[in-house]
Amino acid sequence: ITTDIKKLKKTEEALRESEEKYRLIFEYSPMGILSFDKNGIIIACNDKFVEIIRYSHEKLIGVNLLSIPYSEAVLAVQNALNGKTGLFEGIYSTTTSEKNTPLRALFTPMNVEGKGILGGVGIIEDITERKKAEEEIRKTNSELQRINSVKDKFFSIIAHDLKSRFQGLVGMTGMMAEDIY
């Protein structure tokens, strides 16, 4: 009996440590994480998700993801509920603030063996910095194309001017070479 209790206590302690570890991963993730049930209703979310979406935990828990006004995001959630991976990338804006946030959301099913799909998990990322970098790259690329065009035009003018000068020189040296004797 003593051995059985020790094994049970060790198992309980290992379970507590495992739960604590995964709770900490969930809470301190640098990305927003949410889980939803088989009806698309949010059942849990971390603080980063709350920060990105700019609503409170209380308002987010119970929200049906299948009724949000972003059809591409709804399709991504439906994909997860159908056993596939769903991806949404777009601009998110809330009614509570005037800030538009570019988001990337990846949804996967929670498929439990023997029980089927119980819901899904979503990873949400604020991609504002990436979008700014992409815009900067587009601007730089456009400027480089403009500069390259100016360079090509400049070399074309130089080549034309040199060609006319060299034609005269080649013609004169040709005449001189014929009449050298």
Side-chain angles (χ1 to χ4, degrees):
I1 294 175
T2 308
T3 306
D4 289 342
I5 292 174
K6 285 182 181 178
K7 285 181 182 177
L8 181 63
K9 288 291 185 187
K10 281 185 177 181
T11 304
E12 287 176 352
E13 183 61 30
L15 180 62
R16 257 194 305 279
E17 287 176 7
S18 178
E19 286 175 348
E20 180 68 11
K21 180 171 96 175
Y22 287 105
R23 185 187 65 76
L24 291 172
I25 290 170
F26 183 80
E27 285 302 319
Y28 294 108
S29 170
M31 298 178 126
I33 302 175
L34 69 126
S35 63
F36 49 94
D37 67 14
K38 63 183 175 182
N39 298 315
I41 295 173
I42 297 174
I43 54 177
C45 61
N46 68 356
D47 291 337
K48 188 66 176 180
F49 179 72
V50 170
E51 178 186 322
I52 291 170
I53 300 299
R54 292 184 299 281
Y55 276 92
S56 67
H57 276 276
E58 294 78 26
K59 287 184 179 181
L60 288 169
I61 303 301
V63 168
N64 188 337
L65 293 171
L66 300 175
S67 65
I68 60 175
Y70 298 95
S71 59
E72 290 178 31
V74 169
L75 182 62
V77 172
Q78 286 172 337
N79 283 342
L81 293 173
N82 291 325
K84 303 173 194 158
T85 298
L87 174 67
F88 166 73
E89 191 167 309
I91 303 295
Y92 168 77
S93 58
T94 65
T95 56
T96 58
S97 74
E98 295 179 13
K99 183 180 177 194
N100 293 328
T101 306
L103 293 181
R104 182 174 191 273
L106 185 64
F107 300 99
T108 60
M110 283 192 294
N111 195 355
V112 178
E113 193 173 320
K115 294 183 180 181
I117 297 172
L118 300 179
V121 175
I123 304 290
I124 313 299
E125 178 183 15
D126 181 346
I127 56 172
T128 302
E129 294 304 315
R130 187 187 91 186
K131 289 294 185 182
K132 286 179 185 176
E134 287 173 357
E135 182 60 30
E136 188 63 34
I137 288 170
R138 270 193 289 281
K139 286 179 183 177
T140 302
N141 193 26
S142 176
E143 181 65 16
L144 288 173
Q145 287 175 344
R146 186 190 69 74
I147 290 170
N148 199 26
S149 174
V150 169
K151 175 203 58 122
D152 289 346
K153 188 174 182 180
F154 175 73
F155 281 137
S156 174
I157 292 169
I158 296 289
H160 181 268
D161 287 351
L162 289 175
K163 184 178 177 183
S164 62
R165 302 289 192 261
F166 278 115
Q167 282 178 344
L169 183 63
V170 169
M172 279 303 258
T173 55
M175 284 180 15
M176 290 170 59
E178 288 174 6
D179 294 336
I180 197 157
Y181 298 109

